[in-house]
Amino acid sequence: MKLLSRLVALALCLVTTLVEARTFEEIKKDGKIIVASEGGFPPFNFFRGPTLTGFEIELAEALAKKMGVQIEWRALAFDALLAGLRQDRWDMVIASFGVTPVRAKAVSFTNPHYCSGGVIVTKNPAIRKADDLADKVVAVQTGTTYLENVQKLAKVKDVKNFPKDTDARAALVSGRVDAWVTDKFVAKAALEAAPSAGLTIGDFVFIEHIAPAVKKGNTSLVEAINKALQEVMADGTYEAISKKYFNEDIRCR
Ligand code: ARG
C-alpha cells in the first residue's frame, strides 16, 4: 500500500513537471492570460471591497493591454503563488516578489517592475538601524525576503511570522512586537493610513529588485512581458500609475 501511494505520488510529480507552460503564442491565441496575486499588500496589491486593485494590478492590466490579451485574475495566499506556476495553475505572478537566487531556481523572473527594500517600522524612534533590533521581537510576513533577511541578523530575540503582512503590521500596532519589517512603500502607506498609530520608519535592512514571475523556462512569455514593460515605461503609462500610488516613479534606476 505504501509502495502504491509512493508510485502514485511519483507519477503525479512526473505529470506536473512534464506539462508544459503555455507559451506566449498560445496565451495570445486564447486571448487571456491568467495572473495571480495576493491582495494583501497595499498599495501594491489589495482589495477595495470585492475588487482586487493596486499599483501591480493596474500595471499588469497595462502590460496585458500592450500584449493584446485580457487578464483573468486569481487571488491567493502569498506562499501559494510561486508553487502554482510550477503546477501551471496560472501563467504569471505579480505580488512584489523580490528576485533572489533561490526563487530564480524555481521560477523565471522578467525584468524588475520596481526597486525597493525592507525597512524597519516601530513605535519606538530609538529603533532605527538593523543593529537596534538586538534583543527585539520582530514581525514579518511568512515566506518573504523580510523573514530571510531578519533571520540573518544574529542578535534579534525572536522573529514572529504571519501569513499576512497586514497581520504583522497589526502585531506592531497592538504592541505585541517591537518592530515590523516590510517594504518601504508599504510602510509609508501604512503610516499615512493610520497617522495616529504612532509608527515611525527606520532604515533599510536590505534592498531588492522586484519582478513578475512566470514558470521556469517560459522564455516566450518572459520576452513578451519584458517588451510590454519597456513600452509602458517609455510611453508614460508606468510613470502615471506609479505617481498615482506613490507620488513618484519607483522604477529601478
Ligand atoms: N518583497 C518581499 C518578498 O519578496 C515581500 C513580498 C510580499 N508580497 C505580498 N504580496 N505580500 O518576499
Side-chain angles (χ1 to χ4, degrees):
M1 201 55 209
K2 234 183 174 166
L3 181 67
L4 184 64
S5 58
R6 271 198 200 150
L7 280 173
V8 170
L10 183 69
L12 279 175
C13 251
L14 277 175
V15 168
T16 42
T17 44
L18 289 178
V19 169
E20 285 293 323
R22 299 201 300 161
T23 62
F24 178 56
E25 290 67 34
E26 287 164 326
I27 292 168
K28 184 121 193 185
K29 208 186 280 165
D30 182 31
K32 65 168 207 276
I33 183 167
I34 305 174
V35 182
S37 189
E38 184 203 20
F41 205 54
F44 291 102
N45 60 76
F46 61 99
F47 280 94
R48 189 177 289 124
T51 314
L52 183 63
T53 187
F55 171 71
E56 292 182 304
I57 309 307
E58 287 198 36
L59 180 62
E61 289 289 352
L63 296 177
K65 202 168 163 197
K66 295 282 186 205
M67 290 157 71
V69 293
Q70 296 275 332
I71 299 186
E72 194 175 300
W73 284 102
R74 301 270 193 277
L76 291 108
F78 179 70
D79 64 2
L81 294 170
L82 296 188
L85 284 176
R86 213 163 36 222
Q87 299 155 353
D88 287 305
R89 293 173 62 200
W90 36 83
D91 303 300
M92 169 183 156
V93 165
I94 187 160
S96 288
F97 277 94
V99 179
T100 69
V102 173
R103 287 174 180 164
K105 274 190 196 146
V107 299
S108 290
F109 284 104
T110 70
N111 291 334
H113 61 294
Y114 72 98
C115 268
S116 187
V119 290
I120 298 167
V121 190
T122 64
K123 288 186 168 184
N124 174 358
I127 307 175
R128 288 206 64 84
K129 308 186 277 8
D131 281 350
D132 302 332
L133 294 177
D135 300 321
K136 298 289 187 285
V137 180
V138 185
V140 292
Q141 183 180 21
T142 312
T144 59
T145 48
Y146 316 128
L147 173 63
E148 191 184 312
N149 283 276
V150 172
Q151 274 171 340
K152 283 189 205 153
L153 306 173
K155 292 183 188 140
V156 168
K157 182 171 168 193
D158 193 14
V159 187
K160 290 212 182 311
N161 63 85
F162 298 83
K164 292 164 67 186
D165 191 59
T166 45
D167 288 336
R169 175 188 71 198
L172 173 66
V173 170
S174 64
R176 283 173 286 149
V177 297
D178 301 302
W180 165 41
V181 172
T182 191
D183 184 87
K184 174 182 132 185
F185 298 104
V186 171
K188 275 190 170 178
L191 260 67
E192 277 162 27
S196 59
L199 305 181
T200 60
I201 300 179
D203 291 355
F204 276 116
V205 179
F206 66 98
I207 53 167
E208 60 183 350
H209 283 62
I210 316 277
V214 302
K215 192 181 193 182
K216 181 82 183 163
N218 193 348
T219 339
S220 68
L221 187 53
V222 167
E223 280 164 8
I225 296 168
N226 281 343
K227 182 166 171 276
L229 201 51
Q230 203 179 347
E231 286 167 15
V232 298
M233 284 184 168
D235 73 2
T237 308
Y238 179 97
E239 192 182 346
I241 302 171
S242 183
K243 287 195 168 154
K244 170 176 169 188
Y245 284 95
F246 310 106
N247 292 315
E248 62 180 295
D249 188 321
I250 67 167
R251 77 182 69 188
C252 300
R253 289 169 198 282

